[in-house]
Amino acid sequence: MRLLLAFAGSRGDAQPGVLIGQELQRRGHHVTLAVSPNLVDFARDQGFSAKPFGLDSDDLLRTQRDDRRFTSRNPLRQIRATLDLQRRGFGEAALDLLDIAGDAEVLVTGMACEEAAAEVARIRAIPLAAVHFFPIVPNRAVPVVPAAWARRLPGTAHRLGWQALTKARAWALAPEIAALRRATAPGRAPHATQVPASSPTPQPNPHSHTDISGAEVLRVIPELKLHAGGGVLELTPSALRPSADPSLPARDVAAVGRSGTAATPGRIAIQAYDPELFPGLESALGDAPVTGFPVVPSGTSAITCANGPAAIEPRPELRDWFAAGSAPVYVGFGSMPVGDPDAVEAMVREVGRRLGMRILLVGGIFRARIRADMAVVGQVDHRAVLPKCAAAVHHGGAGTTAAVLRAGVPAVVCSVQADQPYWGQQVEALGLGVTVPFAQITANRLEQALIRATRPEVVLRASAYGLRFRDDGVARAADAIESIASEQRSSLTGAVSRGMLL
């Protein structure tokens, strides 16, 4: 079977695609991996035929870092900023994927480019398997606003909020989808008419009606109007009604609002996380395949890094450092842009000094060296290192969150963007750690967060979860992908036998 795996975003977004692709290759399938342009070398190092698509994810991360709306205390300003970012590069990504898709029989995608991939699957008439690293299906269990106060809201408010966000995302992308469909209409070569470039990100309006407090967001859902992109989107319990857009036929808005795309031959949303972390969620998932986190299975090699395969055990000098003292605190922020690495390093060293704890600081943006109180390294194998640590301070990406949970150590989640604040809130709500937004972190706050995270009851709870962590998520995801392809083949065979395709 020929598969195209399209995983846009940072390395943390691409890594599940790498792991699932490796498993599918092991099963004898032909896999092409499409990733953001800045990650093509990483993907090729894993043994894939790798292709670039869309925009450079590092550039997008820097854009997000510099847009103050993402750190606003107003959830609606954050929503508007997110929708603006999601529109950026949509057409480029979709047209790139359309060229790459070729004779692919199944398209597998991550969350960052799901709508673009869905359009390509529709055009190519092939099944789509979307891998969700976080629950975004409308539900009553997961607070729609990643804040402590939101946990006190009734489940109905969360369900309505998720429905509103789903439709707001569809509304925001509807013009991009309509332009893509016009550009790829029958009789036109895909690039004969380029999809118009996304409009510049609008600057926040200080007089906008969205300037309301976070606590009011869900309380006013029946009356709320979100001003974005020159239109007004009404959030109501029953539906969201986009205002008229002369560039988008009403039928296109309606179709996108219902399903995110026109009908495809088959479409599944693989839930690639542990639903145990979201009590009450499973009833909302229906028959969606739930696979667990896509992590490197026990007993297999680590993912290849830029400087060669990451060793299962730390390098000798780091191994000696671990043996020379007490369990350190792991600190790492993945691919997130850190404005002042030197200041961050000084802050975590000071916190370590105050608490009498050693620090393992991980990241290529820091100057590598090993001292008695702090080891600074570019990258490590989480499976080998995290179980040796007393706690982990990290950005809250789904992959790192899974690694910390698997290791059974408590976490301090310093979230930056996307699903990270949700993971931070959920880790804290379950008593598995503490969360503090990265933008608000100071030495005093980090010190207090580590004190709370390393209390005996939190340590025991995190350890207990680590003991029951399942590491077969990659194999189960591959099973789900094979099943949708099998169902598609059976459907086509049945259609032929009935004379429908003859």
Side-chain angles (χ1 to χ4, degrees):
M1 180 167 58
R2 296 179 298 277
L3 301 117
L4 171 59
L5 274 61
F7 284 77
S10 67
R11 172 169 166 166
D13 295 302
Q15 182 160 311
V18 167
L19 294 171
I20 294 170
Q22 288 174 335
E23 174 63 17
L24 290 166
Q25 283 184 329
R26 189 188 65 77
R27 298 183 184 194
H29 302 296
H30 181 274
V31 175
T32 298
L33 181 60
V35 294
S36 300
N38 52 305
L39 292 174
V40 170
D41 288 343
F42 163 69
R44 288 175 179 161
D45 285 344
Q46 317 310 314
F48 288 103
S49 170
K51 305 290 185 181
F53 82 108
L55 304 181
D56 186 302
S57 62
D58 286 341
D59 288 344
L60 290 175
L61 286 171
R62 283 188 290 269
T63 296
Q64 187 162 353
R65 179 195 65 191
D66 297 338
D67 189 336
R68 294 186 178 181
R69 292 177 298 167
F70 283 102
T71 56
S72 170
R73 299 179 67 87
N74 185 332
L76 286 181
R77 296 190 72 204
Q78 293 184 29
I79 291 171
R80 285 206 307 166
T82 300
L83 296 178
D84 290 340
L85 190 65
Q86 288 168 348
R87 282 191 292 264
R88 183 172 298 189
F90 177 92
E92 294 93 327
L95 290 175
D96 287 346
L97 278 183
L98 197 56
D99 283 345
I100 297 167
D103 58 357
E105 298 172 76
V106 177
L107 177 53
V108 183
T109 188
M111 296 174 70
C113 59
E114 182 175 352
E115 287 84 356
E119 281 301 301
V120 172
R122 181 189 65 82
I123 294 167
R124 294 293 190 193
I126 57 176
L128 176 73
V131 183
H132 289 182
F133 312 129
F134 181 82
I136 58 173
V137 61
N139 67 89
R140 301 169 58 93
V142 183
V144 66
V145 177
W149 58 263
R151 300 177 202 159
R152 300 190 293 271
L153 294 172
T156 301
H158 300 317
R159 179 173 56 81
L160 290 174
W162 283 114
Q163 289 175 343
L165 288 178
T166 299
K167 293 180 179 181
R169 180 178 170 108
W171 175 82
L173 291 174
E176 312 293 332
I177 292 173
L180 176 69
R181 292 181 182 180
R182 288 192 295 269
T184 58
R188 279 186 173 178
H191 286 282
T193 303
Q194 292 293 329
V195 176
S198 302
S199 57
T201 302
Q203 294 303 307
N205 177 1
H207 304 295
S208 168
H209 290 279
T210 60
D211 292 327
I212 62 176
S213 69
E216 295 176 287
V217 174
L218 296 179
R219 178 155 47 83
V220 299
I221 273 182
E223 303 294 333
L224 188 61
K225 293 185 178 181
L226 172 63
H227 292 248
V232 177
L233 184 65
E234 297 182 2
L235 310 187
T236 70
S238 58
L240 288 150
R241 297 184 292 276
S243 58
D245 181 344
S247 69
L248 181 65
R251 64 180 184 275
D252 289 337
V253 177
V256 171
R258 283 195 303 272
S259 63
T261 182
T264 57
R267 183 170 180 174
I268 59 173
I270 298 169
Q271 307 301 305
Y273 51 84
D274 183 358
E276 180 189 340
L277 297 169
F278 305 94
L281 175 65
E282 287 193 84
S283 61
L285 297 178
D287 58 358
V290 181
T291 63
F293 289 107
V295 299
V296 180
S298 298
T300 59
S301 300
I303 280 191
T304 302
C305 302
N307 299 322
I312 295 300
E313 285 299 319
R315 294 174 181 174
E317 59 271 27
L318 186 58
R319 187 172 62 243
D320 293 344
W321 181 80
F322 269 105
S326 58
V329 173
Y330 169 97
V331 180
F333 303 105
S335 302
M336 295 301 101
V338 175
D340 189 342
D342 291 340
V344 170
E345 180 179 331
M347 177 183 66
V348 297
R349 182 190 295 114
E350 170 61 17
V351 171
R353 185 194 64 77
R354 294 180 190 179
L355 297 176
M357 303 179 79
R358 301 192 302 163
I359 301 294
L360 171 62
L361 182 60
V362 178
I365 59 173
F366 305 109
R367 185 167 60 88
R369 61 196 183 281
I370 294 180
R371 297 167 35 172
D373 63 335
M374 174 183 282
V376 185
V377 296
Q379 55 195 2
V380 295
D381 179 0
H382 283 154
R383 287 180 299 163
V385 165
L386 286 173
K388 304 176 187 293
C389 295
V393 178
H394 64 96
H395 60 297
T400 306
T401 298
V404 173
L405 291 169
R406 182 185 194 178
V409 298
V412 175
V413 177
C414 300
S415 58
V416 178
Q417 52 130 6
D419 59 341
Q420 298 165 10
Y422 291 95
W423 282 117
Q425 288 295 328
Q426 206 62 23
V427 163
E428 182 163 303
L430 295 173
L432 299 170
V434 178
T435 186
V436 182
F438 183 85
Q440 299 176 20
I441 203 72
T442 63
N444 289 339
R445 285 176 177 159
L446 182 57
E447 178 186 10
Q448 291 304 311
L450 278 169
I451 290 172
R452 290 170 56 201
T454 53
R455 289 172 179 165
E457 63 272 21
V458 180
V459 172
L460 288 173
R461 206 174 288 121
S463 177
Y465 181 84
L467 292 174
R468 58 182 187 272
F469 185 96
R470 293 187 60 162
D471 67 355
D472 59 349
V474 169
R476 293 161 75 190
D479 290 342
I481 293 165
E482 287 182 326
S483 72
I484 191 175
S486 177
E487 290 171 6
Q488 174 71 357
R489 279 207 260 342
S490 297
S491 175
L492 290 174
T493 301
V496 170
S497 67
R498 293 191 301 272
M500 294 176 63
L501 298 182
L502 299 178

